[in-house]
Amino acid sequence: MARALQSASLSFGLVNIPVKLYTAAKSKSVSFHLLHQPDGSRIQEHLYCPVDKREVSRDEIVKGYEVSRNHYVEITNDELKALEETANRNVEIQEFVPLHAIDPVYFEKTYYLGPDKGGEKPYRLLAEALSQRNRGAVAKLVMRGKENLVLLRPADDAHLVLDVMYYADEVKNIREIDVPNAKIKDAELKLAQNLIDSLSNDKWQPEKYRDTYRDRLLDLVKKKEKGQEVVAPPPVPEGQAQVIDLMDALKKSLERRAHGKEKPGAARAKRKEAQSGKVKRAAGS
């Protein structure tokens, strides 16, 4: 059974919906500890005061906000807690917007929403209404010492999802990225569209994809744990950027797709295979 992180209350008009927040996703990236190589012991980090020139305990530590260079205003945990408790815990919906109108770059983290006691019917009502209108609800939620901009959206006719979003001043303007003007020919555009169509699917199937780097890394850990000797493969040299004939590259890509000779990721596999062959020939010479 999923464990709720916190309770909240959604409101729009005179409707009030008690809800609970649940974690929606968790990264499975492999993390490492720092070890002292000679004896394999784990390195410890210590809190050090450069003025007193000594280590300090955590009960001597307070938070500080830098208002100018090397000038800090101290803020206690009790002060932060009081600010959060006096903040409005009611998640009041500000407006409803089309889901396609929000750029995904604004999405920071996703939570699942479930109804709390007494909120079953209005929760289901909001989920169905949003789903049929294909809209999301923009609101604010105070959580973990921060007032978050959030979007409530339907996952289906029965479930709601809450996306924590970046504020506008936190998102960089994409126009800061310089893209030189390049003239695209109609024939090139048509070939590119055909290639996109040949690789397109009507449904998103996330289960098709797996973190193969993580799998290889965990396999390496298991082998070393068993005392097996692991020989690192030679690095694949990075090729220099080549000037290519765009039309020719698009045509050949389409031909390979049409004849079933190349699947997504096959080109990368071919490069690795070719490099492996070079290494074997060099070893045998």
Side-chain angles (χ1 to χ4, degrees):
M1 190 67 181
R3 183 177 179 180
L5 297 176
Q6 75 172 61
S7 297
S9 182
L10 309 180
S11 68
F12 64 106
L14 298 177
V15 179
N16 189 277
I17 310 173
V19 295
K20 291 182 178 181
L21 272 75
Y22 299 85
T23 300
K26 181 180 179 181
S27 173
K28 289 189 176 181
S29 296
V30 180
S31 58
F32 298 96
H33 294 293
L34 298 178
L35 306 178
H36 185 212
Q37 190 177 33
D39 53 32
S41 60
R42 183 176 170 183
I43 297 297
Q44 297 180 358
E45 296 184 66
H46 295 275
L47 302 172
Y48 181 80
C49 175
V51 176
D52 293 346
K53 296 182 179 179
R54 65 177 179 88
E55 292 182 14
V56 296
S57 59
R58 291 196 175 273
D59 58 7
E60 297 180 74
I61 304 298
V62 296
K63 293 182 173 69
Y65 182 84
E66 189 173 21
V67 292
S68 59
R69 187 172 178 79
N70 296 326
H71 181 208
Y72 303 90
V73 173
E74 294 183 3
I75 304 293
T76 67
N77 289 331
D78 289 339
E79 289 171 333
L80 290 174
K81 185 178 180 181
L83 282 176
E84 187 168 343
E85 287 178 347
T86 56
N88 189 1
R89 283 287 184 156
N90 186 46
V91 184
E92 186 171 354
I93 294 172
Q94 308 292 318
E95 61 177 337
F96 297 94
V97 297
L99 290 174
H100 64 78
I102 301 177
D103 191 324
V105 73
Y106 282 90
F107 295 146
E108 180 181 2
K109 186 175 177 61
T110 299
Y111 294 92
Y112 289 149
L113 273 185
D116 209 344
K117 188 175 181 180
E120 296 84 355
K121 185 173 182 178
Y123 174 97
R124 182 65 180 263
L125 175 64
L126 180 59
E128 287 194 27
L130 288 175
S131 180
Q132 292 184 18
R133 283 288 185 265
N134 197 31
R135 287 182 177 261
V138 179
K140 287 186 177 182
L141 169 66
V142 174
M143 183 170 59
R144 295 174 181 173
K146 180 183 178 183
E147 184 178 61
N148 298 280
L149 181 67
V150 300
L151 178 75
L152 304 165
R153 59 180 172 87
D156 49 37
D157 289 344
H159 296 88
L160 290 172
V161 169
L162 182 145
D163 293 305
V164 177
M165 303 172 69
Y166 291 107
Y167 285 97
D169 60 356
E170 294 178 309
V171 177
K172 293 184 178 181
N173 191 337
I174 194 172
R175 298 190 183 280
E176 294 178 8
I177 308 300
D178 182 38
V179 180
N181 187 28
K183 185 168 180 59
I184 304 299
K185 298 177 182 178
D186 291 340
E188 293 172 338
L189 182 59
K190 183 64 176 176
L191 282 172
Q193 290 171 339
N194 290 341
L195 182 57
I196 289 172
D197 291 341
S198 71
L199 284 165
S200 293
N201 287 307
D202 293 331
K203 292 184 178 180
W204 161 236
Q205 298 174 295
E207 64 276 3
K208 286 171 36 177
Y209 299 92
R210 186 176 178 86
D211 188 345
T212 56
Y213 173 78
R214 185 185 69 204
D215 291 342
R216 295 195 303 273
L217 182 55
L218 291 176
D219 183 58
L220 172 65
V221 171
K222 289 180 181 178
K223 287 180 179 179
K224 298 198 74 171
E225 184 183 19
K226 293 177 181 178
Q228 298 180 19
E229 184 179 355
V230 179
V231 179
V236 178
E238 295 185 6
Q240 294 183 342
Q242 298 178 350
V243 178
I244 62 171
D245 185 315
L246 189 56
M247 285 287 288
D248 184 56
L250 289 168
K251 287 178 180 178
K252 287 181 178 178
S253 297
L254 280 168
E255 289 172 2
R256 287 178 178 175
R257 289 292 301 168
H259 291 87
K261 292 182 179 179
E262 185 171 278
K263 296 180 179 180
R268 183 168 60 248
K270 286 181 181 178
R271 287 196 297 270
K272 288 185 177 180
E273 184 180 349
Q275 178 60 27
S276 176
K278 289 179 182 178
V279 173
K280 289 179 180 178
R281 288 195 296 272
S285 60

